[in-house]
């Protein structure tokens, strides 16, 4: 049985300030974006798994948009806005750690959010026609997850 509450954990690691108080660490815990139903009832007109683009329990296009919007909010807060420069505008592996449950919709949520948080510069693009860069999302199997799994099989 899968967890009823798959979540993502995002830790933003900042610089330590010795002179003046400033933001040093941000930990964000949230659920995935909108998803398709996990199961339906027998008379549901959309009861066939093939009625859904990716099948049951998967992130929807709307859910991807929600996570992209969240990435933009984080960008505006930690890169260009409230706490400008807390994160580099370019992805830096020592500043950010993403942890997700091992569920498709939570992994896709993290990826959608990161695509809006870190828009790659020309130098960071591995494909000039694709404005995206891979950023690691860490996970462990649900059976071994003692941090984020609400319950296990």
């Amino acid at each position: 049985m899968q967890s009823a509450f798959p979540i993502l954990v995002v830790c933003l690691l900042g610089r330590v300030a010795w002179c003046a108080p400033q933001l040093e660490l941000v930990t964000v815990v949230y659920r995935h974006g909108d998803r398709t139903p996990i199961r339906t009832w027998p008379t549901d007109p959309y009861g066939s798994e093939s009625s859904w683009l990716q099948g049951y329990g998967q992130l929807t296009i709307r859910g991807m948009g929600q996570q992209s919007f969240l990435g933009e909010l984080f960008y505006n807060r930690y890169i260009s806005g409230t706490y400008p420069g807390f994160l580099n505008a370019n992805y830096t592996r020592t500043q950010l750690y993403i942890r997700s449950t091992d569920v498709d919709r939570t992994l896709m949520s993290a990826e959608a959010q990161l695509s809006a948080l870190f828009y790659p510069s020309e130098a960071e693009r591995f494909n000039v026609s694709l404005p995206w860069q891979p950023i690691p999302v860490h996970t462990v199997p649900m059976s071994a997850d003692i941090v984020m799994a609400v319950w296990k099989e």
Side-chain angles (χ1 to χ4, degrees):
M1 175 180 291
Q2 289 186 354
S3 167
F5 302 102
I7 56 175
L8 305 169
V9 174
V10 179
C11 292
L12 309 175
L13 308 174
R15 298 176 218 54
V16 177
W18 299 107
C19 300
Q22 73 177 37
L23 190 61
E24 293 182 22
L25 173 72
V26 175
T27 301
V28 181
V29 179
Y30 58 92
R31 289 192 68 198
H32 52 78
D34 279 6
R35 63 163 169 77
T36 60
I38 293 176
R39 59 188 163 279
T40 63
W41 59 94
T43 59
D44 185 350
Y46 304 101
S48 169
E49 188 166 5
S50 63
S51 298
W52 303 97
L53 184 62
Q54 296 294 328
Y56 289 151
Q58 300 301 313
L59 195 66
T60 63
I61 298 296
R62 179 178 179 176
M64 293 175 206
Q66 291 168 335
Q67 293 303 312
S68 179
F69 181 72
L70 185 58
E72 291 172 13
L73 289 177
F74 285 161
Y75 178 89
N76 290 330
R77 175 166 286 196
Y78 300 115
I79 294 175
S80 69
T82 311
Y83 301 100
F86 180 72
L87 288 176
N88 291 335
N90 300 341
Y91 168 71
T92 306
R93 70 178 185 86
T94 57
Q95 285 191 319
L96 184 75
Y97 179 81
I98 304 289
R99 171 82 188 270
S100 173
T101 52
D102 192 22
V103 177
D104 289 351
R105 64 182 168 266
T106 58
L107 291 164
M108 290 174 71
S109 290
E111 292 163 1
Q113 183 213 120
L114 290 167
S115 71
L117 178 59
F118 294 107
Y119 192 86
S121 67
E122 292 294 324
E124 295 171 309
R125 290 187 187 178
F126 60 93
N127 180 335
V128 294
S129 62
L130 180 64
W132 173 82
Q133 64 177 324
I135 295 174
V137 177
H138 302 273
T139 187
V140 297
M142 193 72 76
S143 61
D145 193 345
I146 61 171
V147 175
M148 295 172 38
V150 176
W151 72 70
K152 299 175 183 147
E153 295 182 25

